[in-house]
Amino acid sequence: MGSKCTKRYTAEFKRDAIALVDSTGQTVTAVARELGISSESLRGWCRQAKADRGEGAPGELTTAEHEELRRLRRQNAGQVKTIEVLRKAAVFFAKESGR
């Protein structure tokens, strides 16, 4: 079972860890063990760095695209709530004017 709190790493630490993998030729697992971090975390950081450089798998999103998607989803959720409020208001006022 995993830990309840997620360890956060700085962007600089992630950049340095990725550079270590790229420059030493060591495996991701070996570098992760050396740094005392999860190999899956480091593997994900390396995959995202490749996508940001345009070397990722087809259809893989860059960090900027992830941020934009997150922003648009938040905006969409807000608009859905607004539409629902307006719909309920329209029903209310339609009933009021029918009296």
Side-chain angles (χ1 to χ4, degrees), residues 3 5-11 13-14 37 41 45 70:
S3 129
C5 68
T6 302
K7 176 106 168 129
R8 296 281 182 178
Y9 299 99
T10 64
F13 179 82
K14 292 177 183 180
I37 61 174
S41 293
W45 301 342
R70 199 174 301 119

Side-chain angles (χ1 to χ4, degrees), residues 4-54:
K4 288 189 179 184
C5 68
T6 302
K7 176 106 168 129
R8 296 281 182 178
Y9 299 99
T10 64
E12 182 181 12
F13 179 82
K14 292 177 183 180
R15 237 185 346 265
D16 291 345
I18 293 165
L20 196 57
V21 170
D22 291 341
S23 65
T24 63
Q26 293 180 332
T27 64
V28 170
T29 305
V31 172
R33 192 175 305 125
E34 183 179 314
L35 296 174
I37 61 174
S38 163
S39 60
E40 288 306 310
S41 293
L42 182 54
R43 191 168 286 113
W45 301 342
C46 290
R47 188 179 328 110
Q48 189 61 52
K50 278 186 176 181
D52 289 346
R53 291 190 304 257

Side-chain angles (χ1 to χ4, degrees), residues 55-71:
E55 302 168 2
E60 196 167 12
L61 299 177
T62 65
T63 301
E65 291 169 332
H66 274 291
E67 290 171 3
E68 181 182 13
L69 183 59
R70 199 174 301 119
R71 180 186 63 78

